[in-house]
Amino acid sequence: MKRGRHPDYGSGFRLLWASVVVSGLGSGMRYVALPLLAADLTSDPRKVSLVFLAGQLPWPLVMLSAGVLADRVDRRRLMYTVNTARAAVAGALATAVALGDATLLLLMAVAAALDLAQRFYLGAWAGIVPAIVPPPARDRGNAALKGGSVVAGLVVGNPVGAVLYDVDPALPFTFDALSYVVAVVLIALLRGSFRPKPKPKPETEPETEPETETDTETDTTDTETDTDTETKTEAGPRAPTGLFRQAAAGFGMLWNLPLLRRIVLLAALFNFVGAAQLAVAVLFVRHTLGLSPTVYGALAAAFGVGSLLASLLEGRLVFLLGRGGVLYAALLAAAAAALGVGLSDSGWEAGFFTAAYGASMTLWAVTATTVRQNRVPGEYMGRVTMTHRTVVRAAATAGAAVGGLTAHALGLRSVFQVGSALLLVGVLAGGRGLLRASAS
């Protein structure tokens, strides 16, 4: 790979990166201010939790349809349309807070609306990145985007949002609305058309796996699947046009490509375990470790720092280990980090392992995204990505519920220890397959 600066990423990358950072900064402020506002409105933890739950409910309704829409329309236009809507919603909340008219019902509606919009934004995002960034630069490009969002949202946005909330509760929501406005302008400045264009016929041979006995079978499956899919999606009467048919076609491509299927199943496990731990993390920090809420915030920042470091090192690690090696190492590191947190007796120990966990999750997310971008045809990118996210989000929702039940039955530490064991099972069951299948 040639060394260089922005030209390696393709024209428009800096605008895209800036839009991610700016909107991430505003979102980070809102993420910390929204529960603070809910807690000021009521001391009932059940009611406060409803605000979080409201932000989780809309995704099953629109996830796959968001992917289909992203594969039908100009993705750049979809992104700035969604951000315009999000700016209006955040602005309405800021106004209500400033006037003293905020209610729990309003907070729930805002959380649901913003999460709903985020699904459509991510569907468009999935296809616009590979349209801008050429394949040789995608590892570094995705890492730069991930690193920028982590710094903006977790490292800067969260603590700044808390400070602004103390000054005036309306301020973090006002900045959130303004961040979306700036993001709209930056996305609108991107040049070119980002409307998906189906390929009339396969022009190149599909990617093949390394020449081992097991991988030869994988090659055959990949080749047959890619060829069939391309043939069926030619422009013409045989192309699927209905919403459910197009969504099913995206699921079929994800499931019939062995490497992508393996990645989505392991990602589901990863997020199941992570959500279970996140659901009880604040109780673990306060009751098991006996630490203050301020330290809990510092641990969240440690997660962000680990994510940032991983995003900076991901490209170099891919060069040294290959993408399969990085995915394997990320799973193994997450298992070790989860166990380390569960065995910690101090904030310093928990902070170290929390940072390691953040690094492992970022390495996995960035590398898996690049693999998907390199393997999926552009006209399928939105549907395949949103299908992947649907599976992963469902696993995370289940994990959050299981985490609470496990902690109630076996204790808080057990959530981290059992999670570590599950990740090790994932390494044993699918890790070697990752090394073989993605070595190319």
Side-chain angles (χ1 to χ4, degrees):
M1 184 183 298
K2 294 182 180 180
R3 291 186 177 273
R5 295 188 296 174
H6 298 293
D8 285 347
Y9 294 122
S11 60
F13 180 81
R14 282 179 286 182
L15 289 172
L16 187 65
W17 184 89
S19 74
V20 169
V21 170
V22 171
S23 62
L25 181 63
S27 296
M29 295 181 187
R30 170 171 45 84
Y31 287 147
V32 73
L34 202 61
L36 289 173
L37 179 57
D40 281 345
L41 293 174
T42 179
S43 59
D44 188 335
R46 295 170 298 177
K47 293 181 179 180
V48 172
S49 67
L50 287 177
V51 176
F52 175 80
L53 181 61
Q56 307 298 310
L57 291 179
W59 68 265
L61 305 177
V62 301
M63 191 78 87
L64 295 180
S65 58
V68 172
L69 180 64
D71 287 341
R72 287 180 174 180
V73 302
D74 187 297
R75 287 154 175 165
R76 179 193 62 154
R77 186 169 299 174
L78 179 58
M79 288 175 69
Y80 67 65
T81 299
V82 168
N83 272 345
T84 300
R86 292 200 284 188
V89 171
L93 176 59
T95 302
V97 174
L99 296 176
D101 294 332
T103 64
L104 279 177
L105 186 60
L106 176 63
L107 299 193
M108 292 169 60
V110 167
L114 292 178
D115 185 77
L116 195 71
Q118 179 72 354
R119 302 312 113 201
F120 288 96
Y121 182 87
L122 291 174
W125 167 265
I128 206 169
V129 173
I132 292 176
V133 183
R138 284 178 189 164
D139 283 301
R140 294 185 297 118
N142 285 320
L145 290 166
K146 181 68 174 180
S149 66
V150 166
V151 171
L154 293 178
V155 180
V156 178
N158 282 358
V160 170
V163 172
L164 291 177
Y165 186 86
D166 284 339
V167 175
D168 186 335
L171 282 178
F173 304 109
T174 302
F175 276 97
D176 186 33
L178 292 175
S179 73
Y180 287 129
V181 173
V182 175
V184 167
V185 174
L186 292 170
I187 291 296
L189 291 175
L190 283 174
R191 296 180 179 180
S193 174
F194 296 93
R195 183 181 293 274
K197 297 179 180 180
K199 298 178 183 178
K201 60 181 180 179
E203 298 177 354
T204 59
E205 292 295 325
E207 293 179 315
T208 58
E209 313 293 349
E211 296 180 359
T212 66
E213 187 172 1
T214 303
D215 296 335
T216 301
E217 296 177 3
T218 304
D219 276 349
T220 302
T221 306
D222 277 357
T223 303
E224 292 173 357
T225 302
D226 287 349
T227 303
D228 290 345
T229 304
E230 292 287 351
T231 302
K232 294 177 183 177
T233 56
E234 292 181 13
R238 296 184 62 189
T241 56
L243 173 64
F244 292 106
R245 288 187 178 183
Q246 289 196 337
F251 176 81
M253 172 158 285
L254 175 67
W255 194 256
N256 290 327
L257 291 175
L259 177 57
L260 298 188
R261 181 174 67 241
R262 185 178 289 115
I263 285 175
V264 73
L265 292 175
L266 289 173
L269 174 64
F270 211 143
N271 281 267
F272 177 89
V273 171
Q277 295 168 352
L278 183 61
V280 301
V282 64
L283 297 176
F284 176 78
V285 171
R286 300 196 65 179
H287 299 312
T288 302
L289 299 182
L291 302 174
S292 67
T294 302
V295 176
Y296 176 71
L299 292 178
F303 185 95
V305 171
S307 297
L308 175 61
L309 291 176
S311 68
L312 296 175
L313 295 174
E314 195 269 350
R316 187 180 296 274
L317 291 174
V318 166
F319 178 78
L320 294 174
L321 304 176
R323 293 193 182 100
V326 171
L327 291 172
Y328 184 91
L331 270 178
L332 197 60
L339 181 61
V341 172
L343 297 177
S344 295
D345 290 320
S346 70
W348 290 106
E349 291 176 337
F352 173 80
F353 289 112
T354 298
Y357 201 90
S360 66
M361 291 195 73
T362 297
L363 285 175
W364 175 275
V366 171
T367 307
T369 297
T370 303
V371 171
R372 188 167 60 250
Q373 289 171 352
N374 289 344
R375 299 247 171 174
V376 177
E379 66 269 26
Y380 277 86
M381 190 63 68
R383 283 168 285 171
V384 170
T385 299
M386 298 315 287
T387 300
H388 176 100
R389 289 183 179 275
T390 298
V391 175
V392 168
R393 189 75 178 266
T397 302
V402 171
L405 294 173
T406 303
H408 178 75
L410 303 176
L412 291 166
R413 289 188 185 273
S414 68
V415 178
F416 299 90
Q417 295 163 355
V418 172
S420 175
L422 289 175
L423 289 173
L424 283 176
V425 170
V427 171
L428 296 175
R432 292 181 61 188
L434 289 176
L435 291 173
R436 292 194 303 268
S438 59
S440 61

